[in-house]
Every structure is written in structure tokens, then in C-alpha cells.
Amino acid sequence: MSTETEDQKSHPRGLDRSWHLAQTPLQVDLTELEFALMRAFEAFGRWQTECLASVIGLAASGPENAMLHIIRMHDRPKSIKDLARLSNREDIPNMQYSLRKLVGAGLVERKGSGRSGVTYSVTQKGRDITDEYAAVRSALLVKAVQGVPNMGRRLEEASSTLDLMTGIYEHVARSAATHRRFSED
């Protein structure tokens, strides 16, 4: 009769799965997910930067590239409030800097005035660049994942898990902010 735990069965001997952030198998799995998420975020940003660089000579970060595609989404103008909501961002000054960069590159145009009347939409150049980006993405990324068994199901499950974790992180961030201790210097 084996007394091996499920954790021991799924992870070969000799691998150290301990973390300063985790004491239980669930905590280890959560910590490893967070570590994988950090690595995926960085890899995704590099991919976005390189894919865009292959179609235009613009040094744009991953988030700037994402903003360009979000502005193009559904081919309708977006306010900065829309962009913040759709990208789950709160760093409005950084977003404004990125928007100025995209406008300066001729990919996005700004229309309107005032605090709530400004919207952003892609220019024809922006449309052409995002179409070229989509073609490179299809030729490289989509082609790379097509051969992975059950990839559609895996992507659907990953998206659902990430959406769930986003909600959980939002909830616990609010709790942490509510109950934050302030130092008495």
C-alpha cells in the first residue's frame, strides 16, 4: 500500500517545490501559477513588441501594442475610460503617454475635447499596421499552437481560469487596501 500523496505522485523526487510564500500543496500550486503568470506576461510583452516591430519601425511596449489593438477592436472609437476598463488598468498618466506615442506615430487619432469628450480611433495607417500584425501573428503564433493537442479546450480553460483569478485578485487587492497598516514613523 502506497502512502505517497497526490503531490508526490505528480512531481518527481528531487524537485524542490517549496516556496517562502507557500506551506501547503494548494499554496504551492497558487505560487507556481503566479510565477508562471509573471513569466507568461513578460514573454507575451516581448512577443507583442517583436511582432509589431516586424511590421513597423516603432519601439512600442507590449501594453502600447495591446492599446492599439483595443482601440481597433470593433472599429469604434474608445475613450480613455473605455481603454482603462477594457485593459484593467488604472495608470492613466502612463496610458496618456502611450496614446500620445501612438498618435505621434500616425496609428491613432484623437478626436473631441474636454475631460469626457475625447475619443481615440485607429487611422488608416493604424488599420493597415494592425492588419499586417494580424497576418504575422497568424503565420507565427497561430501556426505554432495549431499542432498542440486539445489547444482550443486548453485555451478556453486557461481564459476562464485567468478571468476567475482576475476577479479574485481584484477582491483581495481591495481587501488589502482597506485593511492596510500604516507605519507610524
Side-chain angles (χ1 to χ4, degrees), residues 112-129:
S113 62
R115 290 188 79 136
S116 59
V118 176
T119 60
Y120 298 89
S121 55
V122 293
T123 62
Q124 185 57 51
K125 180 180 178 182
R127 188 175 313 293
D128 293 343
I129 292 301

Side-chain angles (χ1 to χ4, degrees), residues 67 70 73 78-92 95 163 166-167 170 174:
M67 187 177 292
I70 291 170
M73 183 173 41
K78 311 283 184 310
S79 68
I80 196 157
K81 184 178 177 182
D82 295 331
L83 295 170
R85 183 74 176 138
L86 290 168
S87 60
N88 197 27
R89 291 179 61 180
E90 296 177 341
D91 57 330
I92 302 300
M95 293 177 68
D163 284 343
T166 299
E170 288 294 332
R174 210 170 19 260

Side-chain angles (χ1 to χ4, degrees), residues 28-85:
V28 169
D29 289 343
L30 179 61
T31 303
E32 289 188 357
L33 172 73
E34 290 174 332
F35 191 50
L37 186 57
M38 287 185 278
R39 293 189 316 266
F41 174 77
E42 295 299 331
F44 179 60
R46 276 191 301 280
W47 153 249
Q48 288 181 303
T49 298
E50 292 302 325
C51 189
L52 187 62
S54 74
V55 297
I56 187 173
L58 175 68
S61 67
E64 289 166 344
N65 184 2
M67 187 177 292
L68 174 63
H69 293 287
I70 291 170
I71 292 168
R72 168 94 192 259
M73 183 173 41
H74 304 301
D75 287 317
R76 60 180 175 248
K78 311 283 184 310
S79 68
I80 196 157
K81 184 178 177 182
D82 295 331
L83 295 170
R85 183 74 176 138

Side-chain angles (χ1 to χ4, degrees), residues 121-181:
S121 55
V122 293
T123 62
Q124 185 57 51
K125 180 180 178 182
R127 188 175 313 293
D128 293 343
I129 292 301
T130 54
D131 285 344
E132 287 181 52
Y133 179 100
V136 172
R137 181 180 181 270
S138 182
L140 297 175
L141 180 62
V142 174
K143 183 179 177 186
V145 299
Q146 282 178 331
V148 178
N150 302 312
M151 193 55 157
R153 180 184 53 75
R154 289 175 177 199
L155 291 171
E156 199 174 302
E157 288 173 359
S159 293
S160 293
T161 300
L162 290 172
D163 284 343
L164 175 64
M165 292 304 298
T166 299
I168 291 170
Y169 282 124
E170 288 294 332
H171 171 73
V172 297
R174 210 170 19 260
S175 293
T178 300
H179 304 291
R180 180 183 304 150
R181 279 191 238 167

